[in-house]
Amino acid sequence: MPRKPDPTLKPAIVAKVAQHLQDTKLEDVSVRSLGRVLGTSAYPIVYHFGSRDSLIDAVVDHLAESVTDATLDPDADHDALAGYLVSVFGGLDDPQRSLAARLTFELGSVESLDGRDRERTFHRGQVDALAAWCRAHGYGPDAAERAARGAVLAARGVQWGAIVDRDGTDADAALRAIADELASGALASA
């Protein structure tokens, strides 16, 4: 009779791998190397996740939990917009949030090569949320779409800046400035 899986093992593996990825390039991660990090063979990883990619997906899901819960009411005020941008794209002084942003870039840059669309779907969802906010605040349909796309790309640029120049980038302040531009209508013609 096979052993029953330990329900605490899978989350523990995800947490340990997330910690390991803080100072390890994704390209240097294999099932075997992760087994060494965990102090075991590759078997528990394959047993619980099936593959390296599935384990990395589980880590990304774990890191993204706080972001996926964030919603933006189209009728929300400027302060709520700023809070939304910071909750989705900011907080990069937290090592886990910073890792989530880094993995977004690492995985998103190659996902289309293997038929995935996770980051594209997330990106499109953010554009849609900001476009709805813009329309509710006086932007025309085309201007709302352009402004939302520009704001999301600017927010991603802020994240990238915080990753490559942590000391020179105040991500949360830059994200609030993007909200200021959206609220003022400055991005309507962007």
Side-chain angles (χ1 to χ4, degrees):
M1 177 182 292
R3 264 182 15 198
K4 289 184 179 180
D6 178 353
T8 64
L9 192 55
K10 193 171 181 177
I13 291 171
V14 168
K16 184 75 171 177
V17 170
Q19 180 183 3
H20 175 64
L21 286 172
Q22 293 289 340
D23 56 5
T24 305
K25 294 184 296 186
L26 199 53
E27 67 190 45
D28 293 341
V29 174
S30 69
V31 171
R32 202 171 266 149
S33 72
L34 290 173
R36 284 192 298 273
V37 167
L38 296 170
T40 185
S41 70
Y43 176 76
I45 295 168
V46 173
Y47 177 78
H48 286 286
F49 300 96
S51 68
R52 171 198 176 272
D53 289 344
S54 294
L55 172 56
I56 298 302
D57 285 345
V59 169
V60 171
D61 288 342
H62 167 72
L63 294 172
E65 284 174 356
S66 65
V67 172
T68 56
D69 291 341
T71 58
L72 177 62
D73 179 352
D75 296 320
D77 66 8
H78 167 260
D79 290 336
L81 172 64
Y84 176 78
L85 289 173
V86 169
S87 72
V88 172
F89 298 104
L92 301 178
D93 52 335
D94 175 343
Q96 287 204 339
R97 294 292 303 269
S98 182
L99 175 60
R102 192 191 97 208
L103 290 176
T104 294
F105 287 107
E106 286 187 70
L107 296 170
S109 65
V110 296
E111 75 178 5
S112 65
L113 300 176
D114 64 6
R116 295 179 182 213
D117 68 349
R118 170 195 210 110
E119 295 306 325
R120 181 182 181 281
T121 299
F122 178 79
H123 175 85
R124 190 64 233 170
Q126 298 313 308
V127 170
D128 292 346
L130 291 180
W133 187 92
C134 289
R135 285 189 302 274
H137 289 83
Y139 284 74
D142 291 341
E145 179 70 19
R146 278 191 311 275
R149 254 187 282 116
V152 171
L153 291 173
R156 289 297 192 189
V158 167
Q159 284 184 320
W160 179 250
I163 290 168
V164 299
D165 186 15
R166 179 166 304 287
D167 295 333
T169 305
D170 182 347
D172 292 358
L175 292 164
R176 286 186 185 90
I178 293 168
D180 293 345
E181 288 185 44
L182 276 176
S184 73
L187 292 176
S189 61

